[in-house]
Amino acid sequence: MTFLQLLWFIILAVLFIGFFFLEGFDFGVGLATRLLAKNESERDQLIATIGPHWDGNEVWLVTAGGAMFASYAIWYASLFSGFYILFFLVLVGLILRGISFEFSANAETPRGRSIWRWALFIGSLMAPFILGMIFTAIIQPLPIDKAGNVFPTLYDQLNPLTIVGGVAVVLMMYIHGLNFIRLKTVGALRERARQQNQKLIYLLYAGLVVFAALVAWRTDFFSARPISTILIVILLVATTAVSQYGIIKDRELLSFIASGVDLALVIVLIFNGLFPRVMIATDASHSILIQNASASPLTLTIMTGVTAVLLPIALAYFIWSYTVFHKRVQPREG
């Protein structure tokens, strides 16, 4: 394995971390429009908190997919063809979310407005749940032939680990979204988000225990990479505790950062367990390895140069965007 192969494996992990951290609270706010808000005024206020950011945050997923295609084409082909239906459903969820913002704002009747607000909620539930299923499906052994073709059965895609993984991702993103709401709103909505998080955090502790047990049962993470896997699980529990402390003490930024790090650690756990593989086969000799799945050295070198130039520009834009729209959203602003 070369340095560039390892570098792009890490870059892909960073891109997915960026998506989970940033789009995670967008999904959470979308869920909160039905699970937290009590009326249309509060839903307007919630949507206003993510209005300037949600489409930019989704770019992280597009970038991660494009980077995987360019740097690990074999991985991309095996993953997206093997889980085509699940990725299609993710796309449906993202489309529902995307069009709901514009269509609800221009709806001419209360019923039409309500329909598109429900579309926002459904899309915000579908996309993270199915993404959680996909990410937990690929850390389990899959039927893969010598050519790298993946033939997952229904049970490979729908089993205890993938279901718990999907639920866990939705729960973590909702908690992350509630912490963002505390940062960006005032009044009753903000306090209700804090109260709801105080209850949900205990459910997350239970979910982490179940998730860790299923990872131990359904994957080789604890046997193949015991020290790093145990350390990451401990960090997951620790950052959840920090998030809870921030909720109890009403320290909004602390709990928001901690819940975002929680989501990041899920990606770290997955990539750490996969290494040095990108797809795990039931027949170990058919597993797809980093060194076999990557693009040519020239391609990786060019991509590294382009990334070195464009990444600072993209990060500067995101920092500027969040700085400009840093103020809290008042109820009337919705």
Side-chain angles (χ1 to χ4, degrees):
M1 184 189 308
T2 67
F3 169 75
L4 287 178
Q5 289 174 329
L6 176 61
L7 175 64
W8 275 96
F9 184 76
I10 294 172
I11 289 175
L12 286 176
V14 171
L15 290 172
F16 281 114
I17 286 172
F19 172 73
F20 268 57
F21 190 103
L22 294 171
E23 188 69 2
F25 67 74
D26 281 348
F27 287 139
V29 172
L31 292 169
T33 58
R34 291 296 167 182
L35 301 179
L36 182 71
K38 293 185 175 181
N39 52 54
E40 283 302 307
S41 176
E42 289 187 343
R43 292 186 188 99
D44 288 341
Q45 187 180 2
L46 288 177
I47 291 173
T49 65
I50 60 173
H53 309 299
W54 70 268
D55 49 352
N57 292 341
E58 284 189 359
V59 171
W60 286 82
L61 181 61
V62 177
T63 304
M68 182 183 289
F69 173 76
S71 59
Y72 288 96
I74 295 176
W75 185 10
Y76 177 92
S78 299
L79 176 61
F80 279 76
S81 61
F83 293 91
Y84 180 85
I85 293 177
L86 291 184
F87 277 111
F88 174 77
L89 293 175
V90 171
L91 185 60
V92 170
L94 293 176
I95 290 173
L96 281 175
R97 288 188 79 249
I99 63 177
S100 69
F101 291 101
E102 190 70 24
F103 284 15
S104 64
N106 291 280
E108 297 181 351
T109 65
R111 183 183 179 187
R113 185 178 178 86
S114 177
I115 288 173
W116 290 112
R117 287 293 166 82
W118 272 106
L120 170 61
F121 173 78
I122 294 170
S124 298
L125 178 63
M126 278 182 64
F129 179 76
I130 299 173
L131 281 171
M133 290 182 64
I134 293 171
F135 274 98
T136 48
I138 66 172
I139 64 177
Q140 303 174 69
L142 296 167
I144 303 176
D145 65 16
K146 291 182 180 180
N149 299 307
V150 184
F151 303 96
T153 64
L154 178 61
Y155 186 72
D156 290 325
Q157 302 175 71
L158 192 64
N159 58 60
L161 180 53
T162 61
I163 294 172
V164 170
V167 172
V169 169
V170 171
L171 177 60
M172 294 173 77
M173 287 187 173
Y174 184 48
I175 289 173
H176 192 40
L178 290 175
N179 285 328
F180 181 74
I181 291 168
R182 292 170 54 218
L183 271 173
K184 291 291 293 181
T185 62
V186 295
L189 196 61
R190 175 187 172 278
E191 183 57 30
R192 209 181 310 132
R194 178 169 175 259
Q195 292 172 357
Q196 199 172 98
N197 250 355
Q198 286 177 321
K199 300 174 183 177
L200 289 175
I201 203 74
Y202 292 103
L203 183 59
L204 180 56
Y205 280 123
L208 290 176
V209 172
V210 174
F211 179 71
L214 287 171
V215 168
W217 173 42
R218 297 284 303 174
T219 77
D220 64 356
F221 284 16
F222 282 96
S223 58
R225 309 186 69 81
I227 297 176
S228 56
T229 301
I230 292 172
L231 178 60
I232 295 168
V233 171
I234 292 173
L235 287 174
L236 268 168
V237 176
T239 52
T240 302
V242 172
S243 179
Q244 182 182 24
Y245 175 81
I247 294 167
I248 293 172
K249 298 296 184 180
D250 203 17
R251 297 178 64 177
E252 303 153 332
L253 183 60
L254 177 65
S255 51
F256 173 72
I257 293 174
S259 60
V261 172
D262 254 1
L263 286 165
L265 286 171
V266 171
I267 300 298
V268 173
L269 177 68
I270 291 169
F271 274 73
N272 173 76
L274 283 174
F275 184 85
R277 307 157 296 187
V278 291
M279 297 290 287
I280 304 171
T282 50
D283 180 347
S285 64
H286 293 169
S287 292
I288 304 174
L289 305 179
I290 291 173
Q291 62 189 38
N292 299 328
S294 71
S296 68
L298 177 60
T299 299
L300 295 180
T301 300
I302 294 173
M303 289 177 61
T304 303
V306 172
T307 301
V309 173
L310 296 183
L311 184 59
I313 297 173
L315 291 177
Y317 166 76
F318 270 91
I319 293 171
W320 172 82
S321 173
Y322 280 92
T323 301
V324 169
F325 296 102
H326 72 280
K327 293 183 179 180
R328 294 180 185 270
V329 177
Q330 304 291 333
R332 63 181 182 275
E333 292 181 281

